[in-house]
């Protein structure tokens, strides 16, 4: 899929991302990825290969593409971490207590799970569609050590970004071939989430109707 220097032959998100990168250079790639973290419907699987492709055309270097896209990932994650910290445990428990099919004890279980697996969740979560953004919120709620969170986010993001940026860089104008594999991965993740949610709802509805008047204090 060829495109001229203005990216006018690409439309939608791809065209917008290329125009940002061509106008602002490598920092534009970082801004696009930061926004992708905050608004998951913007697909990193499109923006990252495009950053590699744009680098292959000499707009900026490959190292700059990797540096700025990773910086953008970290900035976006830190914003969501801040939102989680602002929400806090007490507000979360109040919200859950008012949600149908949910119990405050679910929050306690989630907290216990995050205490055991939070490090791995943040690192590997950066490489899983949908969860790439969402994992930052519970990290903020649990007030995970900020230095550790930033280091794990940087490492995980660098791995994920490098795969797609390098693919776009070496595939050149065939960068969009990466989307075929990315779409399969994303659909698999979405299906797994839907199955898990369905199982949870069925078990909760069929299970004993206890905890309806569960007190927030546990």
């Amino acid at each position: 899929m060829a495109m001229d220097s203005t990216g006018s032959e690409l439309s939608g998100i791809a065209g917008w991302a290329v125009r940002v990168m061509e106008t602002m250079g490598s920092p534009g790639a970082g801004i696009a990825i930061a926004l992708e973290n905050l608004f998951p419907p913007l697909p990193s699987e499109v923006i990252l290969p495009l950053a590699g492709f744009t680098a292959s055309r000499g707009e900026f270097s490959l190292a700059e593409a990797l540096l700025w896209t990773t910086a953008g990932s970290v900035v976006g994650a830190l914003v969501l971490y801040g939102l989680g910290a602002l929400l806090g445990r007490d507000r979360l428990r109040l919200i859950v207590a008012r949600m149908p099919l949910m119990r405050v004890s679910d929050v306690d279980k989630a907290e216990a799970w995050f205490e055991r697996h939070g490090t791995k969740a943040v690192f590997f979560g950066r490489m899983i569609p949908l969860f790439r953004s969402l994992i930052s919120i519970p990290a903020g709620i649990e007030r995970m050590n900020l230095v550790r969170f930033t280091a794990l986010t940087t490492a995980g993001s660098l791995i994920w970004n490098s795969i797609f940026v390098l693919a776009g860089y070496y595939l050149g104008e065939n960068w969009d071939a990466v989307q075929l594999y990315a779409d399969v991965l994303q659909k698999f993740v979405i299906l797994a989430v839907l199955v898990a949610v369905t199982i949870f709802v069925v078990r909760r509805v069929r299970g004993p109707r206890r905890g309806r008047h569960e007190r927030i204090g546990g």
Side-chain angles (χ1 to χ4, degrees):
M1 181 182 297
M3 67 179 179
D4 58 25
S5 60
T6 64
S8 60
E9 294 181 28
L10 289 174
S11 60
I13 293 174
W16 167 80
V18 169
R19 287 191 291 274
V20 170
M21 286 183 251
E22 289 182 340
T23 301
M24 304 183 65
S26 52
I31 291 173
I33 288 299
L35 291 174
E36 176 269 329
N37 275 260
L38 297 175
F39 305 101
L42 292 175
S44 65
E45 296 83 356
V46 171
I47 298 173
L48 290 171
L50 272 173
F53 175 40
T54 306
S56 73
R57 299 171 69 230
E59 300 289 340
F60 42 79
S61 70
L62 177 60
E64 287 177 310
L66 293 172
L67 173 64
W68 281 100
T69 54
T70 300
S73 295
V74 174
V75 169
L78 286 173
V79 171
L80 293 176
Y81 176 98
L83 289 176
L86 185 64
L87 174 63
R89 181 181 292 109
D90 292 339
R91 288 192 182 92
L92 177 63
R93 292 168 73 86
L94 286 170
I95 292 171
V96 169
R98 290 164 173 75
M99 293 177 64
L101 300 179
M102 296 295 293
R103 302 169 184 159
V104 175
S105 60
D106 294 329
V107 178
D108 298 330
K109 293 176 184 177
E111 289 176 354
W113 183 91
F114 198 87
E115 287 180 3
R116 294 193 303 270
H117 306 290
T119 297
K120 291 181 288 185
V122 170
F123 177 73
F124 290 107
R126 299 302 306 173
M127 298 175 243
I128 302 176
L130 301 181
F131 292 97
R132 299 183 67 247
S133 299
L134 298 178
I135 193 60
S136 301
I137 297 176
I141 291 174
E142 294 301 316
R143 297 298 179 95
M144 184 180 199
N145 179 275
L146 188 57
V147 174
R148 182 192 304 171
F149 172 80
T150 303
L152 291 168
T153 299
T154 300
S157 298
L158 180 59
I159 293 172
W160 176 263
N161 293 358
S162 295
I163 292 172
F164 286 91
V165 170
L166 288 171
Y169 185 84
Y170 289 111
L171 285 173
E173 294 188 355
N174 294 316
W175 64 269
D176 54 340
V178 180
Q179 290 180 260
L180 297 176
Y181 300 97
D183 286 345
V184 171
L185 174 60
Q186 183 157 308
K187 288 176 181 176
F188 175 79
V189 172
I190 292 174
L191 178 62
V193 171
L194 289 175
V195 169
V197 170
T198 300
I199 292 174
F200 171 81
V201 171
V202 170
R203 287 183 174 178
R204 187 55 55 90
V205 170
R206 289 183 176 179
R209 302 196 175 196
R210 65 175 183 270
R212 179 176 296 178
H213 303 291
E214 186 177 7
R215 302 180 67 85
I216 294 178

